[in-house]
């Protein structure tokens, strides 16, 4: 399954924007320029109970009511969200003149097209938000979700890791193909758990984890250790970076070919070296047939993906970078598509696109 493109008309800051989606698509730019809104436009159908109307408020996002999402510069009262998946396009929203002043709509009705892909998409989909669960001594483990679902905050991570190791029902989902590019060179086997632990070692070298669940009490916990150290530490004693990155790594390594992953700020609480390694893992996942939409503020994540392109781990035509900018006193963003060549050179470098290091160094040098 593959998202081909998204079109947003009068939705939030967008007047009429068409965004082509690649196997790996990055959204970058300063804060509050529309990056998250693109992701939200796909989360609405993913969180909705039915394949017809899509819900503004649900378990993944809460956007309010119709008036909260109507572009304030809209020339009429219509809103349309069009998503094309596997070349099947469908549109939700309202046509001009449908809304009356006294109606507070919280759903967008199905308008036209083919939405037959939606049910399958919900089964092969992960969303890891920027607001992930940090270090916790224990977490609730309640089976009210589909197998493999990590939760938007990574709240089901412990249950997922435990199930991979201990439950026969997950056996068919617990191993990667021997040629899967996500298998880390330090992994001791082709199991998903082994590569998750090895990639976590790129964030904090030598780290390993033990996961346990007490189902009778619906709680689970993880203990962490380091090579050469026999002690086991609670999550709260090893810092935010491990907890914040582990759900991201698990989502990426555990995804199946054809799955769709939406990830926000994978770089949070992680050292630049680890951010670069995450970028490489993200690119390897795209090469394995997973589609990833990633919002990031990290040049290191972007450069990690470029390294994978340069090393021929990911074809250069499978990656898009979208740079969002919003000129002063404007509502609608300007979206610039950036492509890579085989040597990982970018075809354009807009002003404001990860140039702050150069700007700062010039000021330091000049004094």
């Amino acid at each position: 399954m593959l998202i081909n493109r998204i079109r947003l008309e009068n939705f939030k800051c967008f007047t009429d924007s068409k965004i082509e989606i690649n196997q790996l698509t990055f959204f970058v730019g300063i804060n509050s320029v529309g990056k998250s809104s693109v992701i939200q436009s796909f989360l609405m159908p993913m969180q909705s109970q039915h394949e017809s109307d899509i819900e503004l408020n649900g378990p993944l996002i809460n956007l309010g009511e119709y008036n909260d999402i109507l572009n304030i510069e809209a020339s009429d009262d219509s809103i349309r969200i069009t998503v094309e998946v596997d070349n099947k396009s469908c549109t939700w929203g309202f046509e001009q003149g449908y809304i009356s002043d006294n109606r507070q709509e919280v759903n967008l009705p199905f308008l036209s097209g083919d939405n037959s892909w939606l049910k399958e998409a919900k089964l092969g989909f992960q969303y890891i938000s920027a607001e992930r669960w940090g270090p916790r001594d224990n977490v609730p483990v309640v089976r009210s979700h589909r197998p493999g679902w990590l939760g938007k905050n990574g709240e089901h991570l412990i249950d997922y890791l435990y199930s991979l190791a201990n439950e026969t029902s997950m056996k068919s989902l617990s191993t990667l193909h021997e040629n899967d590019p996500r298998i880390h060179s330090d992994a001791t086997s082709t199991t998903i758990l082994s590569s998750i632990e090895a990639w976590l070692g790129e964030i904090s070298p030598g780290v390993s984890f033990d996961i346990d669940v007490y189902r009778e009490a619906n709680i689970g916990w993880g203990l962490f250790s380091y090579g050469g150290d026999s002690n086991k530490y609670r999550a709260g004693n090893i810092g935010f970076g491990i907890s914040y990155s582990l759900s991201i790594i698990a989502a990426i390594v555990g995804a199946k070919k054809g799955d769709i992953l939406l990830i926000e700020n994978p770089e949070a609480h992680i050292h630049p070296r680890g951010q670069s390694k995450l970028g490489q893992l993200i690119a390897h996942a795209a090469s394995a047939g997973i589609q990833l939409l990633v919002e990031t503020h990290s040049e290191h994540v972007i450069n990690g993906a470029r390294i994978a392109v340069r090393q021929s781990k990911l074809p250069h035509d499978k990656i898009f970078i979208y740079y969002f900018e919003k000129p002063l006193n404007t509502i609608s963003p300007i979206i610039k598509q950036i492509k890579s060549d085989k040597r990982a050179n970018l075809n354009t470098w807009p002003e404001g696109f990860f140039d702050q290091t150069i700007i700062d160094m010039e000021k330091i040098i000049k004094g």
Side-chain angles (χ1 to χ4, degrees):
M1 183 159 292
L2 200 68
I3 307 173
N4 307 118
R5 57 190 52 84
I6 295 173
R7 182 178 181 181
L8 305 175
E9 300 172 83
N10 288 342
F11 176 68
K12 301 186 75 172
C13 63
F14 299 98
T15 301
D16 188 356
S17 294
K18 302 174 185 177
I19 303 169
E20 186 178 359
I21 308 297
N22 210 333
Q23 193 75 45
L24 171 55
T25 304
F26 286 109
F27 301 122
V28 304
I30 64 172
N31 300 97
S32 193
V33 289
K35 304 184 300 297
S36 295
S37 296
V38 178
I39 291 177
Q40 290 168 354
S41 70
F42 190 74
L43 291 178
M44 281 191 290
M46 290 297 101
Q47 74 178 4
S48 300
Q49 296 290 322
H50 308 287
E51 281 73 51
S52 54
D53 291 10
I54 60 174
E55 300 165 11
L56 274 63
N57 306 298
L60 301 180
I61 52 168
N62 291 283
L63 300 181
E65 301 174 341
Y66 161 82
N67 289 330
D68 294 308
I69 64 169
L70 178 65
N71 185 294
I72 63 173
E73 292 186 332
S75 59
D76 59 63
D77 59 357
S78 65
I79 292 180
R80 286 179 292 271
I81 294 174
T82 302
V83 181
E84 182 180 318
V85 174
D86 289 344
N87 298 313
K88 298 174 183 177
S89 178
C90 62
T91 301
W92 295 274
F94 295 103
E95 298 293 3
Q96 181 177 354
Y98 182 83
I99 297 292
S100 60
D101 292 338
N102 60 349
R103 295 181 63 168
Q104 296 298 316
E105 297 286 349
V106 293
N107 291 349
L108 297 183
F110 179 74
L111 290 178
S112 63
D114 184 349
N115 62 354
S116 60
W117 52 268
L118 189 53
K119 186 174 182 179
E120 181 183 351
K122 291 179 180 179
L123 298 176
F125 158 77
Q126 291 279 4
Y127 166 55
I128 306 294
S129 75
E131 189 180 2
R132 302 185 279 281
W133 276 17
R136 296 168 187 241
D137 287 345
N138 55 74
V139 299
V141 175
V142 181
R143 285 294 178 87
S144 60
H145 53 88
R146 64 175 170 84
W149 173 246
L150 295 176
K152 72 170 187 177
N153 307 118
E155 64 267 30
H156 303 307
L157 172 66
I158 294 296
D159 184 31
Y160 172 67
L161 296 177
Y162 180 83
S163 299
L164 285 176
N166 296 282
E167 297 187 1
T168 56
S169 61
M170 293 289 286
K171 188 174 182 180
S172 62
L173 303 175
S174 64
T175 304
L176 298 170
H177 188 276
E178 61 181 7
N179 295 321
D180 195 299
R182 292 169 293 173
I183 297 177
H184 194 280
S185 59
D186 292 337
T188 58
S189 70
T190 59
T191 64
I192 290 174
L193 275 175
S194 182
S195 278
I196 289 175
E197 196 166 71
W199 280 107
L200 188 64
E202 298 286 8
I203 308 300
S204 185
V207 69
S208 60
F209 53 78
D210 289 313
I211 304 297
D212 209 348
V213 166
Y214 184 39
R215 294 225 177 266
E216 288 79 1
N218 292 327
I219 63 169
W221 60 91
L223 295 175
F224 297 82
S225 57
Y226 292 86
D229 186 347
S230 60
N231 293 326
K232 293 184 178 181
Y233 302 95
R234 296 179 180 183
N237 290 327
I238 60 169
F240 268 76
I242 297 297
S243 298
Y244 255 58
S245 61
L246 185 50
S247 58
I248 296 288
I249 293 170
I252 296 172
V253 177
K256 306 182 300 298
K257 183 177 181 180
D259 283 0
I260 298 171
L261 270 60
L262 278 67
I263 301 174
E264 294 178 334
N265 302 119
E267 68 274 9
H269 297 290
I270 300 174
H271 186 275
R273 177 188 180 277
Q275 295 178 28
S276 176
K277 293 297 183 178
L278 270 183
Q280 293 176 53
L281 173 58
I282 287 169
H284 292 169
S287 181
I290 294 97
Q291 186 175 39
L292 300 101
L293 285 70
V294 181
E295 178 190 357
T296 181
H297 293 282
S298 171
E299 62 189 290
H300 307 295
V301 170
I302 297 291
N303 287 338
R306 292 174 66 196
I307 288 171
V309 171
R310 183 67 179 89
Q311 295 177 342
S312 301
K313 303 294 185 181
L314 176 68
H316 72 97
D317 59 353
K318 295 296 184 181
I319 178 173
F320 286 159
I321 304 170
Y322 284 102
Y323 177 63
F324 289 64
E325 61 180 347
K326 189 182 292 185
L328 197 62
N329 299 321
T330 63
I331 298 298
S332 298
I334 297 172
I335 307 173
K336 297 180 179 178
Q337 186 189 77
I338 303 172
K339 297 181 180 180
S340 171
D341 65 15
K342 293 181 179 179
R343 296 177 60 84
N345 295 313
L346 303 181
N347 67 330
T348 183
W349 200 284
E351 182 179 354
F353 176 70
F354 294 128
D355 56 5
Q356 194 60 44
T357 298
I358 297 173
I359 294 171
D360 290 345
M361 290 306 299
E362 286 180 349
K363 291 180 178 179
I364 292 171
I365 292 170
K366 291 178 181 178

